[in-house]
Amino acid sequence: MQGRSTFMAAAASVTAAAFLLTGCTTGGQAAAGNASGGAMSTDTIRTALNADPTTFNAAKANAKDDYEVARFLYDTVVRRDADGKFIGGLASEWKSTATNAMLTIRKDATCADGTHITPTIVAKSLSYFADPATKNNFGKLVFGPGQPTITGDDAAGTVDIKLAQPWSELIGGLTLAQTGIICPAGLADLDGLAKGAVKGAFSGPYTLTKASHGVSYDMTLREDYKVWPKYSKPLEGTPAKTVRFFPGVNKTTVANQLLTGEMDVSDIAPADVQRFEGNKDYTVTSVPFAGIFLLFNQRPGSPFTDPALRKAVAQLMNQQAFNAAAYAGKGITYNSIVAPTVPCVLPDNSSLTKEDAAAAKAVLAGKTFKMVGTTSIGPNGAGSTYVQEALRAAGATVDLQLVDNGTWATMTQTKPETWDLTVQGDANFVGTVAASLTRVAGVPTEKGGRNIGGGENADILADIATAQAATDESARCDAYTKAQKSILSDNDIVPFVGEPQIVAQRSGFSIQAPSGIVDYATMRITK
């Protein structure tokens, strides 16, 4: 394992060099105004979303925008801190093994309607999240295969989670925004919950007070909220009384609005980074956000049940060309389905299918495929357009639908008949190989699982089970290595790059990325 550790250290250095952008600030990270007792210059933070949220029900969140708003509205039992460590959310303490966990629930947390958050409330919310009838695609990622048994003991102040099968990554899974605790009022009105119309549903620091589809969404800080996570490095500044989200704004427009003062904190496109470099009034933070790979629909009736077609498409793809088209060359090249910094990742690209345009053309000429793509991967969906053009050059016809991120997530995860291939963005917030492998193995998304590709891949599930039950890192990595090589040799995916999440902040505003994951709920006003 020494060689793997050496590689991981080197990969981490490469990632840092590729992604860590810095900008000088004048007050952007300081809390001097607040510390001296002066009034803040504003009580509102303005930010952008890729698209309108598809739901305000945390347990059914599908797209990046859903995750972001859920973090404001719902508290999770555990949160991420720096360096991969965990800190308390609604849980003050926890103990876990590969088969169970015991959470001690803090006694001072309330719902937005004043309801005291008890272990029973936490257990009911997590049970709803884990229920196959809820049809979210994150339950198996958190609790593993099978159905967990989750019970609350109000007298003891604890929640007990018993897993159906060993799943050693439970605590990390419980940090996901999708596990946010939904209060009783929300579970009693699921239609209203999805619309964000049940104020008493919220357990987090904010409530949704205004929702205008396609225009803006306002979150308002709860005056009674007191259970902020205690990070090892305390956040400087003051939480905004109002956080205003603007959906569907082109990222170049967002950059313009940041520079003109109409936006305060927001994601920007890689091509716009240079506009902020050297500007002392802005800070730019960049971290790896999502793995980007070509994904094939392998359900019955799709042409890509044929491994020869999948291999031919893989032979056409060029990572550097995709990176240039989608991310102005600022993405980090992947050797597998997960980032180079994830434990047990493949150390080199030797398992990738080699390019061979002539061989690919002999197989693909005259074929027709349905493709759906999100406009958020590359400027106006340039990542999907690159794939379409590469296939056209090989003589194939590609009917491409480019849609907003929420529509894309809905189509790929619930309407498999609408697509044959897609450029998939996989935000692996748990940071494990299993989290991404379940995108191509296990229960399909339309049946409540995480498997967007839809292929059975029973051997991959067996490898994941072996890894989760392993008692040492070497055995775990052996199982994960076998699984990664299998999906690459079968061309279940074609790895492209890691998408950088680049966030620009105006002077007077800040945001943090605990353990390399941007958390919009850490936004603060600093002067």
Side-chain angles (χ1 to χ4, degrees):
M1 293 306 295
Q2 183 176 0
R4 180 176 295 277
S5 299
T6 301
F7 165 72
M8 291 307 297
S13 299
V14 171
T15 302
F19 283 106
L20 184 59
L21 307 177
T22 59
C24 297
T25 64
T26 54
Q29 301 295 329
N34 193 30
S36 64
M40 290 296 179
S41 59
T42 180
D43 62 3
T44 300
I45 295 177
R46 299 161 297 177
T47 188
L49 296 170
N50 287 328
D52 291 279
T54 64
T55 182
F56 292 97
N57 178 344
K60 295 177 75 68
N62 276 327
K64 176 177 179 286
D65 308 296
D66 302 343
Y67 314 156
E68 289 184 10
V69 298
R71 185 61 79 190
F72 286 84
L73 299 174
Y74 305 96
D75 273 343
T76 54
V77 291
V78 186
R79 297 289 291 272
R80 285 193 180 274
D81 199 2
D83 301 323
K85 295 181 174 63
F86 302 124
I87 55 174
L90 290 177
S92 57
E93 299 177 3
W94 55 92
K95 297 178 181 179
S96 67
T97 68
T99 55
N100 75 284
M102 181 72 74
L103 310 171
T104 300
I105 304 303
R106 59 189 301 164
K107 299 179 179 180
D108 55 351
T110 62
C111 302
D113 61 1
T115 300
H116 180 64
I117 297 178
T118 64
T120 296
I121 287 175
V122 172
K124 286 183 177 179
S125 179
L126 290 176
S127 295
Y128 167 71
F129 169 78
D131 189 343
T134 302
K135 292 186 177 180
N136 71 64
N137 59 30
F138 287 86
K140 303 303 180 187
L141 173 58
V142 177
F143 299 111
Q147 193 63 16
T149 301
I150 307 172
T151 55
D153 185 335
D154 291 345
T158 58
V159 171
D160 184 39
I161 303 174
K162 289 183 170 61
L163 302 179
Q165 298 180 36
W167 194 257
S168 59
E169 295 158 357
L170 170 62
I171 298 302
L174 289 171
T175 68
L176 295 179
Q178 291 87 337
T179 68
I181 300 306
I182 301 169
C183 290
L187 294 181
D189 181 4
L190 295 180
D191 288 340
L193 176 67
K195 298 173 184 176
V198 185
K199 180 180 179 181
F202 306 132
S203 60
Y206 287 82
T207 62
L208 180 65
T209 51
K210 178 183 176 182
S212 180
H213 186 83
V215 179
S216 65
Y217 297 86
D218 280 9
M219 304 280 187
T220 300
L221 182 66
R222 290 172 49 190
E223 294 182 359
D224 62 337
Y225 186 81
K226 301 176 181 177
V227 293
W228 297 101
K230 294 182 179 180
Y231 294 99
S232 56
K233 181 180 179 181
L235 304 182
E236 298 178 344
T238 301
K241 290 185 178 179
T242 300
V243 179
R244 183 163 296 144
F245 299 86
F246 297 94
V249 184
N250 178 279
K251 285 190 176 180
T252 296
T253 302
V254 168
N256 294 338
Q257 292 176 331
L258 283 160
L259 290 167
T260 58
E262 300 169 76
M263 200 80 74
D264 303 310
V265 180
S266 194
D267 291 6
I268 60 172
D272 289 316
V273 170
Q274 60 184 359
R275 301 174 65 186
F276 296 87
E277 292 175 341
N279 190 328
K280 62 184 178 60
D281 293 323
Y282 295 87
T283 297
V284 175
T285 301
S286 184
V287 297
F289 169 65
I292 307 298
F293 49 85
L294 189 61
L295 179 66
F296 301 102
N297 187 346
Q298 296 188 50
R299 296 167 178 84
S302 170
F304 289 112
T305 56
D306 182 352
L309 284 180
R310 299 197 302 271
K311 180 178 180 179
V313 174
Q315 288 173 323
L316 288 177
M317 298 297 113
N318 180 280
Q319 289 181 321
Q320 289 72 34
F322 178 92
N323 195 3
Y327 300 116
K330 297 185 183 297
I332 184 169
T333 302
Y334 270 33
N335 296 324
S336 182
I337 197 170
V338 291
T341 49
V342 172
C344 305
V345 68
L346 298 181
D348 56 49
N349 65 2
S350 60
S351 296
L352 300 184
T353 296
K354 301 298 186 285
E355 290 182 57
D356 189 336
K361 186 173 182 179
V363 175
L364 295 171
K367 298 292 193 298
T368 298
F369 307 118
K370 295 177 294 184
M371 183 176 184
V372 62
T374 169
T375 53
S376 70
I377 295 181
N380 300 312
S384 296
T385 303
Y386 162 77
V387 174
Q388 180 189 38
E389 292 304 317
L391 286 166
R392 281 180 174 174
T397 298
V398 180
D399 297 324
L400 172 61
Q401 290 188 69
L402 278 175
V403 295
D404 66 73
N405 204 53
T407 302
W408 166 79
T410 298
M411 291 177 68
T412 55
Q413 296 178 25
T414 66
K415 299 178 180 180
E417 71 282 358
T418 64
W419 64 282
D420 297 321
L421 72 166
T422 189
V423 176
Q424 179 69 40
D426 181 40
N428 189 337
F429 293 132
V430 182
T432 65
V433 175
S436 293
L437 286 177
T438 49
R439 290 304 196 185
V440 295
V443 179
T445 50
E446 68 272 18
K447 296 181 181 179
R450 285 177 49 77
N451 181 359
I452 298 175
E456 182 178 351
N457 278 332
D459 55 336
I460 304 301
L461 293 180
D463 291 334
I464 293 173
T466 299
Q468 291 293 338
T471 56
D472 65 85
E473 184 184 7
S474 178
R476 180 178 299 111
C477 286
D478 285 345
Y480 279 148
T481 294
K482 181 172 176 285
Q484 291 173 85
K485 288 185 175 180
S486 176
I487 64 168
L488 294 176
S489 65
D490 290 343
N491 294 292
D492 294 319
I493 67 160
V494 181
F496 284 134
V497 298
E499 175 187 356
Q501 183 174 10
I502 305 171
V503 184
Q505 309 138 61
R506 291 203 302 125
S507 176
F509 302 89
S510 70
I511 190 169
Q512 305 300 319
S515 293
I517 298 172
V518 174
D519 184 345
Y520 268 78
T522 66
M523 288 194 301
R524 296 293 186 268
I525 300 170
T526 57
K527 74 173 185 179

